[in-house]
Amino acid sequence: MADFEERIDVVECKTPWGCWYQTLEEVVAEVTLEPGTKAKEIKCKLSGKKLTTVVRGKEIMNGTVAGNVVTDDFLWTVEDNKLLRIVITKSDRTGRDCWQSLLQGQYPADPQVYDDMEKKLTMERVQRENPGLNFADAEISGNYHGGGPQWDT
């Protein structure tokens, strides 16, 4: 997937605390931290579908994730003491599971951003299904909603 990611930028959804974005396999939230924030000052937990994030005693996120996830495959890291990266693994990695928001009822993508996310996930799925083809300069139009067209395999 790294080759595809190098050619196509992520589509970010801006939030008050940073941004979130998604790929076929993951949803990533990036929280901007005060410089010098240490990992021990952060509590980040995914329990079932409930995500809770507290930084220096201040609740940043608290709610139910918007899609189905692999609870055991959850990771968060602090980078350069100024960025908290939360990685949530989707259980449906087919391209049909484009999240409209990070948490149910919270941090929704505006319609244009969501449309761009769907296009990106569909291109990612087509690239995965056709590894020998170069999609670096490709554009998508037509049916890309819900993961795009389905072909008999």
Side-chain angles (χ1 to χ4, degrees), residues 47-66:
S47 178
K49 289 183 69 170
K50 185 173 174 91
L51 177 65
T52 306
T53 305
V54 177
V55 177
R56 292 184 169 170
K58 180 182 174 192
E59 186 175 88
I60 305 297
M61 287 181 250
N62 186 0
T64 303
V65 293

Side-chain angles (χ1 to χ4, degrees), residues 17 52 63 72:
W17 39 259
T52 306
D72 295 342

Side-chain angles (χ1 to χ4, degrees), residues 3-18:
D3 292 338
F4 186 82
E5 288 298 324
E6 290 172 5
R7 292 184 291 231
I8 305 294
D9 293 333
V10 297
V11 178
E12 293 182 347
C13 180
K14 300 292 183 193
T15 67
W17 39 259

Side-chain angles (χ1 to χ4, degrees), residues 13-100:
C13 180
K14 300 292 183 193
T15 67
W17 39 259
C19 71
W20 69 272
Y21 59 89
Q22 60 188 309
T23 66
L24 281 177
E25 298 185 356
E26 301 171 332
V27 175
V28 179
E30 294 182 345
V31 179
T32 303
L33 302 171
E34 291 180 31
T37 302
K38 307 282 187 215
K40 66 183 178 182
E41 298 174 290
I42 298 170
K43 293 179 181 164
C44 190
K45 182 177 181 182
L46 180 65
S47 178
K49 289 183 69 170
K50 185 173 174 91
L51 177 65
T52 306
T53 305
V54 177
V55 177
R56 292 184 169 170
K58 180 182 174 192
E59 186 175 88
I60 305 297
M61 287 181 250
N62 186 0
T64 303
V65 293
N68 293 320
V69 298
V70 179
T71 308
D72 295 342
D73 199 2
F74 170 72
L75 173 72
W76 64 271
T77 59
V78 176
E79 298 176 17
D80 299 325
N81 292 41
K82 61 183 179 182
L83 178 73
L84 168 63
R85 180 170 284 127
I86 302 166
V87 181
I88 302 167
T89 302
K90 294 178 176 181
S91 60
D92 177 358
R93 300 176 197 140
T94 63
R96 291 169 196 49
D97 188 21
C98 186
W99 293 17
Q100 290 188 325

Side-chain angles (χ1 to χ4, degrees), residues 118-127 140 144 147-149:
E118 279 197 305
K119 284 180 185 177
K120 181 186 180 304
L121 291 186
T122 300
M123 285 297 295
E124 214 175 311
R125 179 186 67 92
V126 171
Q127 173 69 38
I140 192 166
Y144 55 84

